[in-house]
Amino acid sequence: MPRFAANLSMLYNEHDFLDRFAAAGVDGFKGVEFLFPYAYSSAELVQRLSDNGLEQVLFNAPPGDWDKGERGIVCLPGREAEFRDGFLRALEYAQALSCPRIHVMAGLMPAEVERDVLAATYIENLQWAAAEAQTAGRQILLEPINQRDMPGFFLSRQSDAHALVEAIGSPHVQVQMDLYHCQVTEGDLAMKIRQYLPTGKVGHFQIAGVPERHEPDVGELNYPYLFAVIDEVAAQCGWQGWIGCEYRPRRGVAVGATSAGLDWLKPMLQAG
């Protein structure tokens, strides 16, 4: 049975951020992920995790200026020092939160820069970061994101992400396989799970319903079937990661909206 983590940036938005840990714990989650921890002290976040019996399984490295639309800077020439400072800050939080994984967003492609230049910058930055992650005992995750939701994002396809992992050449760099983004971009999810999970290069899954990015029991995907495929392949290859629930509750931010939409997951949380 897969282990499920609540994405606190998307779920429980009816609560202030620090109160979302308790809400996730009440609903039976044992793990959480979110976008960014940097607005809070690590001590405060550690206390929330401890109080609610939760593991921190993933968060993102600083992405540049998020409020101005930046979605990562690792591929951007001229921003190397900023990326590296931000990644070291992420490692400090990961150490404090006992978080094994850091997602590094690739960034949006400037129209005036050739893709091969962006790719070279991306690989060089991540080779440096991989060495730092190895020293710290952490994993770096690369996530393909669909062009409908994030036009111009550098990385969109699973094959490209795996090729970049090979080019970077470190066991401390893996792929974050978001099945929502993968379905929007290329589909054929069950076969891609069977193709990529046994490689040891998939570090984390995320899920949401397609196309509206609501609960996984709404939309065009048969998630019970996909969970069974993950279970089958994981049993064969020894994968023991997490599945992040990164979706927007269709009931919005009404009180209890997230919990009311968890009927699809409650039996699995109870079984775990």
Side-chain angles (χ1 to χ4, degrees), residues 256-270:
T258 298
S259 299
L262 287 176
D263 287 347
W264 66 275
L265 182 57
K266 286 177 182 176
M268 290 179 278
L269 291 177
Q270 292 165 359

Side-chain angles (χ1 to χ4, degrees), residues 158-228:
Q158 299 298 311
S159 59
D160 291 340
H162 283 269
L164 285 163
V165 168
E166 290 299 317
I168 294 161
S170 169
H172 287 267
V173 181
Q174 296 179 305
V175 176
Q176 183 170 313
M177 191 174 188
D178 187 311
L179 298 181
Y180 164 80
H181 290 303
C182 187
Q183 172 67 7
V184 172
T185 300
E186 50 196 308
D188 203 19
L189 298 186
M191 296 307 294
K192 284 185 170 59
I193 293 167
R194 294 185 185 280
Q195 176 183 358
Y196 290 121
L197 191 56
T199 67
K201 302 300 185 182
V202 176
H204 190 67
F205 284 99
Q206 289 178 323
I207 56 172
V210 179
E212 291 90 0
R213 205 171 188 178
H214 293 321
E215 284 83 351
D217 60 342
V218 176
E220 65 195 45
L221 291 179
N222 182 353
Y223 270 110
Y225 172 74
L226 294 174
F227 296 152

Side-chain angles (χ1 to χ4, degrees), residues 69 71 107-110 145-154 156:
R71 294 297 181 263
L108 304 178
M109 296 182 288
I145 295 177
N146 78 76
Q147 294 288 315
R148 186 185 71 197
D149 286 4
M150 204 170 287
F153 195 72
F154 175 76
S156 297

Side-chain angles (χ1 to χ4, degrees), residues 98-161:
S98 299
C99 181
R101 302 168 196 86
I102 301 171
H103 170 214
V104 176
M105 297 186 75
L108 304 178
M109 296 182 288
E112 69 277 8
V113 183
E114 296 293 331
R115 184 176 177 87
D116 60 349
V117 175
L118 299 175
T121 303
Y122 185 90
I123 291 168
E124 182 179 356
N125 273 332
L126 285 174
Q127 286 175 332
W128 172 88
E132 297 295 327
Q134 180 175 1
T135 299
R138 310 294 161 186
Q139 293 293 124
I140 296 170
L141 298 184
L142 319 180
E143 181 186 20
I145 295 177
N146 78 76
Q147 294 288 315
R148 186 185 71 197
D149 286 4
M150 204 170 287
F153 195 72
F154 175 76
L155 184 60
S156 297
R157 303 187 68 86
Q158 299 298 311
S159 59
D160 291 340

Side-chain angles (χ1 to χ4, degrees), residues 5 11 18 46 58 108 129 194 209 250 259:
L11 303 186
L18 291 175
V46 167
L58 173 70
L108 304 178
R194 294 185 185 280
R250 61 185 178 272
S259 299

